[in-house]
Amino acid sequence: MQVDRTPAPRADVCIVGAGPAGALVASRLASDGHDVVVLEAGPRFDFADRPDQMEAAIRPDSDVSVWGMGGERDDFSASGDRYYPLNVSRVKGIGGSTLHWQGMVMRLHPTDFEGSHDNDDPAWPIDYDDLRPYYADAERALGVAGDADNPFAPARDGPYPLPGFPPSYSDSLFAEACDSLGVAMHSVPNARNSEAYDGRGPCVGYGTCQPVCPSGAKYDASVHVEDAEKAGATVLDRVPVQRLETDRDGRVTAAVYATPDGTEHRQTAREFVLAAGGVEIPRLLLLSRSEQFPDGLANSSGLVGRYFMEHLFAGAGGTIDERTRQNHVGFITSECHQFYDDPGQAVERVADGETVVPESDAPLSPIKLEFLNYAGPSPVELALSADEWGDTLLESLREAYGHSIAMGGLVGQPPRKENRIALDTSQTDDHGNPVPDIQWSWGDRVERSLRRATDIQQSILDELGVDISWTAGPDGGGTGPAYHHMGTTRMGSDPATSVVDPQLRTHDVGNLSVASSSVFVTAGSMNPTLTIAALALKCADHVAERL
């Protein structure tokens, strides 16, 4: 079928990117009657293909990307102290990375905005109360299931839209050990339906949430792309934006995009919103350099691409002499924020009478702990890789499967200027543009925080009687990024030290806004998507005020 990818003749707003931020901005502005065009670099995926994608994903011998990532289109460099595997966990396409995300949606704490973790995190130019109503709107938009049982969560004005999911069986195993140590467990807010909501059915337990939800119970941004289209928005797929053009007054006049046959088009609009994520947004701004903006668009501060931040994974696990029912649930149902605002508090290990405290008084990142519902090999993986058949295979599965248990957690990086997204002019993509170069390093605080997180986790596992066989941290290895790209167009009130203002508009370009985790000033240690959604809705309101 021939797809029309020519520019819309009239547009109030042009949005670059159809992930959660772009989709929410498009849905809100189109619903308000504005003419909206969305330009997305990746394809439009057919929902009917999801069962086949699920089957491909669970085969251990499959090395094919379920969502088509890789190749010249997605090339990148990673020249920093730490290698950054960018394509492991991103999606280009309608829906963006929410097509394969885990679906955990927590609000940042007030201390994240205040910069008051007793460390080197600066304050944001907005506070928690500024985002509080947008957080509530975002939870309704995504359909968040949750319970108000978290004593460490920030204040809220009402219940979650949907009831939370009950604790898993393995959560119940953790509960007694945590109680002995004085560690609080509580539920996890999830962007997946615990009951029918917004035209989508409840979770039916496929367990393949990452990388694909075949039922659609887990939210993905194609939901709001479809809402935007129903309200009249034009959404073009497979049209990567090559650069932004500006007029003599320094305002953006057009987004220049390429169609699959290589033809370039210009989409004009009154307002432009960048929502392509924390790597592609700074890359596009740097690619849009001109005589008027020799260092890249919106980059008078020199900070476009700077302060790239991530969350690092900490974990520990092993086996226990009883069934754990791991891999029965594809998402997390219990976690612990007790060590978020106070990561240095002591843990009393009853098993050996030891008090576990940080190794030094040096600052730590907030710590978020998770009780994993997936540890050890899955029965599908064991069966497909086995050399046995029939009853012999069944007996082997019974012996090998079901005793694994594990914890995980996130710690955030402080903003470091040397961590950045730059252009690698020695390597080009399929349109001849320099690819993004990720220059990434950790720093001492990250390593201390990872070590602290794994110490707490091992205390809990020891109390539970787990034979610990692995740890993921600075000493045990196995740690890596959570693929939460933050900070590369940071928000601030001072144009000399930031890229966008508190209304998400760039300081340098009056009709250019950014809706993304790229505007984060600090990383915190919470999964960022709910904050991305809240900021996107805030951005949409400010754009609407100017139209």
Side-chain angles (χ1 to χ4, degrees), residues 332-380:
I332 294 171
T333 46
S334 291
E335 61 181 351
C336 174
H337 295 176
Q338 182 173 338
F339 302 91
Y340 195 85
D341 290 329
D342 186 10
Q345 63 182 281
V347 176
E348 302 292 339
R349 287 171 54 156
V350 178
D352 55 17
E354 181 183 354
T355 299
V356 180
V357 296
E359 60 186 19
S360 74
D361 293 330
L364 295 167
S365 292
I367 294 172
K368 179 174 76 79
L369 300 178
E370 303 165 347
F371 301 91
L372 303 184
N373 285 323
Y374 33 84
S378 73
V380 173

Side-chain angles (χ1 to χ4, degrees), residues 20-151:
L24 286 166
V25 174
S27 177
R28 175 158 289 192
L29 292 177
S31 297
D32 288 345
H34 300 294
D35 293 320
V36 175
V37 175
V38 181
L39 305 177
E40 167 55 47
R44 188 185 295 265
F45 297 98
D46 190 341
F47 187 87
D49 292 335
R50 291 195 180 187
D52 291 336
Q53 291 174 303
M54 177 180 67
E55 181 181 353
I58 63 177
R59 290 185 175 275
D61 58 345
S62 175
D63 59 358
V64 177
S65 170
V66 168
W67 299 105
M69 288 300 299
E72 189 180 13
R73 181 195 70 172
D74 306 317
D75 280 345
F76 68 96
S77 296
S79 66
D81 293 342
R82 300 275 182 171
Y83 177 73
Y84 195 89
L86 179 62
N87 283 340
V88 168
S89 192
R90 66 171 177 162
V91 176
K92 291 182 180 178
I94 303 296
S97 292
T98 54
L99 292 169
H100 74 162
W101 69 318
Q102 192 175 58
M104 300 173 71
V105 278
M106 293 77 69
R107 301 182 181 194
L108 288 176
H109 284 203
T111 50
D112 288 314
F113 298 96
E114 297 162 4
S116 59
H117 284 297
D118 191 29
N119 54 32
D120 45 1
D121 287 339
W124 293 44
I126 61 175
D127 60 23
Y128 174 74
D129 284 339
D130 291 322
L131 271 194
R132 187 165 166 173
Y134 291 108
Y135 271 134
D137 286 350
E139 288 169 347
R140 287 189 291 270
L142 273 58
V144 176
D147 292 319
D149 65 335
N150 181 354

Side-chain angles (χ1 to χ4, degrees), residues 389-409:
W389 298 92
D391 291 342
T392 304
L393 172 59
L394 181 59
E395 186 61 31
S396 294
L397 289 176
R398 285 172 174 162
E399 291 178 2
Y401 167 67
H403 295 275
S404 297
I405 196 163
M407 292 187 65

Side-chain angles (χ1 to χ4, degrees), residues 244-254 290 292-293 509 511:
L244 301 174
E245 294 182 342
T246 54
D247 61 18
R248 67 178 65 183
D249 296 322
R251 293 175 63 84
V252 178
T253 55
S290 64
Q292 188 176 15
F293 298 100
V509 184
N511 67 336

